[in-house]
Amino acid sequence: MSLITVGTMAFDAIETPFGKVEKIIGGSATYVAYAASNFINKVQQISIVGYDFPEDEMQEMKKRGIIMEGVEVVPDKKSFFWSGRYHLDMNTRDTLITDLNVLEDFNPIVPESYQGTEFLMLGNLMPKLQLSVINQLRVRPKLIVLDTMNFWMDIALDDLKAVLKKIDVLLVNDGEARQLSGEVSLVKAAKVIMNMGPRFLIIKKGEHGALLFHENHVFFAPALPLEEVFDPTGAGDTFAGGFIGYLAKTKDISFENMKTAIIVGSAMASFCVEKFGPDRLKEISKADIDERLSEFVQLVNFDIDLV
Ligand code: AMP
């Protein structure tokens, strides 16, 4: 089963109430690929980096079966750089710096060997580049999932609306769902957004879990209550990687299977936040993932006798 992942590979500087790091590996496609590689063998990456992106990180990704043929290396420019500061609740953050650098003239090219892929994960990136990748695929993938953020709603809303018409699943957080729809109620927001194109909508609510909407159905996946959240950066992308990785592995894109997939996404995200950057994602094994999934089952399992 094949999966293309598209997005940024970056450096991040992060401040949380509990610590600060100046320059660590980040980027939407980095997190997506690390998470998805736990479920499927060949993750076909499309991204761009500058001269400063570490070769050992590229090697680490290759070791996990992530194919880097679609990752362009620009010899005379810096990699994308993002910096953010988290509020005390760790659920909200302010973007301090977004330096596009190599992204400024990124023109993603889908390698010939990626054609015919069945799953496409469009990680957070300029909407017009997400659209360009869809348009280059000669056969439409079975499932197209798109992640985006308020930054693109602010500066490229028309492009975002154009790409929304072409996708199956949209992932946003609660604030972004409200911004995109103009509705305060998330149920109303979901209806408005699904009218813009996607048949499925996932609204992420940080430590309060995620909602999956489809037609008149809604399903809720909790986030695992953790004693310590170290760094939430990349949790959304990791969620996305777990979600689509699981769907690609099971080859089933029904609403029923998506319910399990958002639990898997939540489980993967719960690892991501335990350390700065994608470090924790590199340590975990299948046994760790299985154990965490059973914690989720315990979390939501209950008996009730309706009288
Ligand atoms: P998340 O916490 O899941 O929203 O993802 C954070 C990651 O997204 C960081 O590692 C950043 O490098 C990356 N990122 C931040 N802003 C953008 C943006 N405007 N476009 C693409 N990637 C971004």
Side-chain angles (χ1 to χ4, degrees):
M1 190 56 54
S2 47
L3 164 67
I4 296 180
T5 55
V6 187
T8 49
M9 290 171 64
F11 286 113
D12 293 342
I14 296 156
E15 269 180 60
T16 76
F18 314 105
K20 187 174 171 175
V21 282
E22 292 295 337
K23 195 179 179 193
I24 55 166
I25 297 293
S28 55
T30 310
Y31 285 104
V32 171
Y34 273 127
S37 68
N38 286 287
F39 301 94
I40 56 161
N41 277 335
K42 286 187 183 157
V43 175
Q44 299 165 316
Q45 187 87 326
I46 297 183
S47 190
I48 188 165
V49 295
Y51 61 84
D52 49 357
F53 199 83
E55 182 54 33
D56 53 353
E57 195 69 32
M58 301 278 240
Q59 291 305 331
E60 179 74 35
M61 295 179 98
K62 283 184 191 162
K63 254 190 7 212
R64 283 158 201 272
I66 301 164
I67 298 165
M68 307 299 271
E69 197 188 333
V71 177
E72 189 184 336
V73 183
V74 183
D76 59 350
K77 278 197 158 185
K78 284 186 172 179
S79 301
F80 176 69
F81 175 76
W82 175 81
S83 157
R85 184 190 294 133
Y86 287 87
H87 301 178
L88 202 56
D89 67 2
M90 297 285 256
N91 255 349
T92 44
R93 70 182 177 204
D94 298 321
T95 288
L96 304 176
I97 304 170
T98 301
D99 280 341
L100 294 179
N101 299 327
V102 285
L103 268 198
E104 256 169 81
D105 28 42
F106 184 31
N107 176 25
I109 307 289
V110 177
E112 194 51 38
S113 62
Y114 289 16
Q115 288 291 346
T117 197
E118 288 165 290
F119 289 82
L120 173 60
M121 177 67 232
L122 296 164
N124 189 15
L125 190 68
M126 282 97 143
K128 70 169 190 285
L129 301 189
Q130 294 174 315
L131 186 60
S132 148
V133 170
I134 297 177
N135 289 338
Q136 287 175 59
L137 295 174
R138 290 195 291 274
V139 180
R140 190 196 190 274
K142 203 163 135 178
L143 191 78
I144 304 180
V145 180
L146 182 138
D147 188 15
T148 190
M149 74 187 290
N150 53 352
F151 184 76
W152 304 118
M153 293 174 194
D154 292 340
I155 69 165
L157 186 60
D158 288 344
D159 291 340
L160 179 62
K161 285 187 174 165
V163 71
L164 288 183
K165 294 200 173 86
K166 306 256 180 176
I167 63 156
D168 302 300
V169 186
L170 174 67
L171 281 153
V172 280
N173 68 31
D174 41 2
E176 291 155 355
R178 292 188 170 109
Q179 178 172 349
L180 185 60
S181 64
E183 292 286 352
V184 177
S185 146
L186 292 181
V187 177
K188 283 187 184 164
K191 286 189 181 144
V192 172
I193 294 171
M194 286 191 288
N195 270 328
M196 294 176 173
R199 291 179 297 123
F200 299 88
L201 172 69
I202 295 171
I203 301 183
K204 299 167 288 178
K205 290 156 60 73
E207 66 170 331
H208 306 299
L211 293 163
L212 167 67
F213 292 90
H214 174 56
E215 296 171 346
N216 290 322
H217 310 289
V218 55
F219 176 73
F220 171 69
L224 194 69
L226 293 168
E227 231 169 85
E228 252 181 354
V229 171
F230 216 71
D231 169 23
T233 308
D237 308 312
T238 303
F239 177 99
F243 173 76
I244 199 158
Y246 179 79
L247 292 177
K249 179 184 172 181
T250 53
K251 304 176 191 159
D252 174 354
I253 56 168
S254 65
F255 180 69
E256 281 309 306
N257 200 44
M258 281 192 197
K259 290 182 183 176
T260 312
I262 71 166
I263 300 281
V264 173
S266 297
M268 296 308 294
S270 75
F271 286 115
C272 175
V273 303
E274 289 178 336
K275 285 196 173 171
F276 271 113
D279 282 0
R280 185 74 180 113
L281 294 179
K282 298 183 205 168
E283 298 169 350
I284 52 174
S285 63
K286 174 152 188 333
D288 295 322
I289 297 172
D290 288 348
E291 194 186 315
R292 190 134 304 179
L293 283 169
S294 48
E295 286 180 52
F296 271 83
V297 174
Q298 292 307 315
L299 187 65
V300 291
N301 206 3
F302 65 93
D303 288 324
I304 186 165
D305 286 326
L306 292 177
V307 282

